[in-house]
Amino acid sequence: MVAIVIGVGVDVFFAVVNFYPVAPHPNPGPRRYVVMQMDEVQAAWFQTNILDDFNAETNSNLEILRVSDEEQLQAVAHDAAAGGKDVVLVALPETQLARAVASKLVRPFTDVVASDQVAADFSELGSAVLAPGNFSSTQYFLPRMTVVDVAAYRVSKVRDAVSHWSVLRPQIDAALAKINGRGLPAGYELGLTPAAWTSYDLFVMAYYWSHRSYGGQPARPRVAHRTGDEIDGQRDIVSAIYRLGANDTTIANTENRAAIDMFEWEALYRDEDAYPQEMYAEDPFDDEAVLEGLKSGELFFAPIDTIEAFRLHGGAHETAHALVDDPADLEFTSMPRGATLALDGKGHPQRQRPSFSFHEDWLWALPTSTRATAVGYQLVKFLWRPEIHTRECEALGMLPLHPKVVAERVSRFRLDWISHVFEAGLEQARYGERTPPALVDKGIGSVYAQLWIRIVDGKLPPVPETAIVDALRTPPRATPLAVRDKSDVDPAHAVDKPAPERAAPVTENEDWESNVVLERVTGAKK
Amino acid sequence: MTEQPVETIAIPADALERSIQSALERLEAVRKAEAEAAAKAAANKAAIARRVSIAALLLTMMLSFLGFVRAQSDSAEGGAKSVVQQSGTDASTEWALYQTKTAQRGGYIVAEDNLAREVLSLGLDDPRRRLARFHHHEYEASVRALDEDNRQVFHRIQALDARAYSAQKMVEHHDRRTKRYDMGIRTLTLALVLISLTLLVDRASLFYFGLLVAAIGASFGVSGYFLG
């Protein structure tokens, strides 16, 4: 009798299923959060195109909790957990890992998933991608992304410089001769291949642009990099020293040869007024300042990371609007190769090094407070599927890291400008190094950032070299990297600064046929 | 052959009668027992036949409904597959359009470069300069229009790629579900065979084994429906 009842029940079930072929979803449970640094547009895209797909596939209820400043990440994660929100993942830069572990904000993924399982689940990524997540001999963190700097430049302005820079060659030679006694290297011509630019090419363009008037506007400096004693400036300044030959060992000694070479260049830029005044202001000239300079057309060349390159160019996804008036005039390449001001007997730079940039690894961390450890782990696995990783790279500008995606990048990323950003980034990554832990742990970044202020902002002359060496001999005390203990933003209402209204885009470059108008140049053609 | 002499035993008539009566009673008892056993066996067989019939009916219904559900899942899988294919085809078409526009754009860029070079050798009052300026504006406007077109084409391709990916996941989901239904159908069919054999071999244990197999098959079917 019981069997009959069960059998009838099953038959009825299948009969009903015929009319409702899709099984009802169980309740996805309470809302859970992923804390990430993103702007509003990126966060909206990530929620719609990544988290919503993940939620649908796994019957989860994840939402992004966005912060606009990376220094807020830990504070927001902590405050959210304290407020009863279940934060399942936090994306942290490697510079913040030690602090997050020390404050017990996070715990290892291997606490909740066996090491063998983690290794098996992420075996496709290879050890190089997983390595940054190794902490205390365990897979404490899982990889999120790697950020590298590329050089962004205005094509039309580079063309102009290539066409006309030689007008200023005597002045450029004179400026350089003050230091190396000769001027430009033997047989020098402004490089026509951006990927092969050197420190000299950048100086020639910076010098030319700082004397070139465009659109009737006064000539002014057009090349910049990040400065100030915070992570952006620190990384830029120390990577410039590495670009001239420093390494993890020599960087500890502030009087190392590469540092002297780098500060000579920087002092020369200052001496020739080739850097904008904002770089010497009290507020750090950070990522946003560089982006704003490129956006407004004030800067023609600056280092930015691949994600900012995508933000600047726009068009990577439907809601990503260009921040510049003319994205087609924007190009990307690897950072110029390092070359010393000092020349050898044959007139060539004494020391040269391939393009260099630090990698900034970002990692997924598992908050100690989360009650849904499996969801966070599942999301990381989901994000590393080749298709999802491609989707993220293409829309957000994350450097492709999945070996399969990297191998297939030509067919996966077909837009010219996207492939240019990624090629420059991958080239940069090839010759670059991970950000040395000492940059933050031992405060080396802070020391050099303060030395930059002392030497460049302090207007120390590039020659004689002894002035720079003396300044380097007495390094300042390092200041700890700012990571806020408490969030001072309401994450639910965190908003970026509103973008200023821009004029309607100009439809053409009006300088294309005009005669070159140079300013502040003795004996130059008018 | 010689006849053996018959020994005559004198039995009382009533004793004989009782013996006969007793024998007849025993015979009757045996007959009754046999009749009862036969009736019981017949009843048992009828009961098994009834159980088998009911089980077969339920299993056949189950198989039938499960077949419909499987067909639905299969059809949904087919639909999702066609979405994948269609999205791929549409994306390829869009890429072809993108490439055409990019080639067009390249033509304008080359023309602009030529203009810029020519202008360098022209005097300020040269009328060809004005013509070059006219063309320069025209080419830049065309390049911008093409860039805008390409932007839209690219976003359409992104949407198609996302659609294809979701559909592909749906295909995989339905494929897993269809496989589970298939396992259910096969197991239920085996159960039906086993239960039917019960009629031939007249073994109740086979019937119960068949029921167990049927329960497993039904579980496959039910779990297929709830497969995540």
Side-chain angles (χ1 to χ4, degrees), chain A residues 133-468:
Chain A
N134 273 310
F135 199 89
S136 305
S137 309
T138 183
Q139 195 70 48
Y140 211 107
F141 304 97
L142 290 171
R144 161 70 184 140
M145 63 178 174
T146 294
V147 177
V148 291
D149 280 341
V150 295
Y153 63 93
R154 292 283 188 165
V155 179
S156 60
K157 303 300 184 279
V158 168
R159 284 184 181 188
D160 179 50
V162 167
S163 305
H164 303 297
W165 77 273
S166 55
V167 175
L168 291 177
R169 183 160 193 151
Q171 288 78 10
I172 294 170
D173 271 329
L176 292 167
K178 282 188 295 187
I179 298 160
N180 63 16
R182 177 189 171 114
L184 287 162
Y188 176 82
E189 278 301 324
L190 180 55
L192 299 180
T193 311
W197 281 337
T198 67
S199 308
Y200 282 96
D201 295 312
L202 183 57
F203 179 74
V204 166
M205 288 190 287
Y207 191 96
Y208 174 79
W209 288 330
S210 67
H211 292 83
R212 166 75 152 104
S213 164
Y214 288 101
Q217 297 281 316
R220 51 191 181 271
R222 302 295 192 168
V223 171
H225 64 74
R226 291 157 290 203
T227 60
D229 190 11
E230 63 171 33
I231 192 67
D232 295 341
Q234 291 175 10
R235 189 178 280 113
D236 249 18
I237 291 162
V238 177
S239 69
I241 299 173
Y242 271 63
R243 203 170 295 132
L244 284 161
N247 57 41
D248 291 354
T249 311
T250 60
I251 197 72
N253 173 17
T254 51
E255 291 173 74
N256 71 80
R257 186 62 245 176
I260 298 168
D261 289 340
M262 194 281 281
F263 281 113
E264 277 182 350
W265 271 116
E266 294 294 295
L268 177 64
Y269 272 84
R270 173 77 201 228
D271 215 32
E272 295 300 330
D273 202 13
Y275 278 151
Q277 284 301 313
E278 290 82 355
M279 284 174 68
Y280 315 117
E282 198 171 326
D283 283 343
F285 197 71
D286 59 7
D287 274 345
E288 290 302 319
V290 168
L291 209 57
E292 187 57 40
L294 288 165
K295 194 167 110 178
S296 61
E298 277 299 301
L299 296 180
F300 297 162
F301 183 104
I304 55 173
D305 66 47
T306 54
I307 293 174
E308 288 160 349
F310 270 54
R311 281 180 65 198
L312 193 64
H313 190 284
H317 56 89
E318 205 154 6
T319 51
H321 301 295
L323 297 183
V324 289
D325 290 338
D326 186 7
D329 192 34
L330 204 57
E331 261 300 350
F332 306 93
T333 188
S334 46
M335 293 296 292
R337 300 169 183 197
T340 57
L341 271 168
L343 303 175
D344 62 18
K346 293 179 181 171
H348 300 302
Q350 280 182 357
R351 292 169 292 280
Q352 294 194 73
R353 183 166 176 173
S355 175
F356 180 89
S357 172
F358 285 130
H359 312 175
E360 185 190 10
D361 292 308
W362 282 67
L363 296 130
W364 287 116
L366 185 68
T368 313
S369 59
T370 184
R371 296 179 290 277
T373 52
V375 179
Y377 185 75
Q378 266 183 309
L379 176 62
V380 181
K381 275 171 59 181
F382 177 81
L383 290 169
W384 280 109
R385 286 183 192 168
E387 296 79 7
I388 302 296
H389 183 56
T390 303
R391 199 188 287 180
E392 267 202 286
C393 292
E394 187 178 76
L396 300 179
M398 280 165 44
L399 195 67
L401 287 182
H402 194 298
K404 188 177 177 195
V405 176
V406 174
E408 296 169 358
R409 64 186 185 276
V410 174
S411 51
R412 284 182 185 262
F413 308 111
R414 300 193 207 178
L415 259 59
D416 277 352
W417 72 269
I418 289 182
S419 63
H420 292 171
V421 174
F422 288 155
E423 287 309 317
L426 290 168
E427 174 79 2
Q428 206 76 84
R430 194 171 301 132
Y431 292 111
E433 290 175 17
R434 283 182 63 194
T435 307
L439 185 99
V440 174
D441 300 349
K442 295 185 179 168
I444 284 175
S446 170
V447 168
Y448 281 105
Q450 292 178 65
L451 283 170
W452 189 94
I453 295 167
R454 183 190 290 175
I455 294 169
V456 186
D457 198 10
K459 295 185 181 175
L460 287 190
V463 279
E465 182 180 290
T466 47
I468 291 174

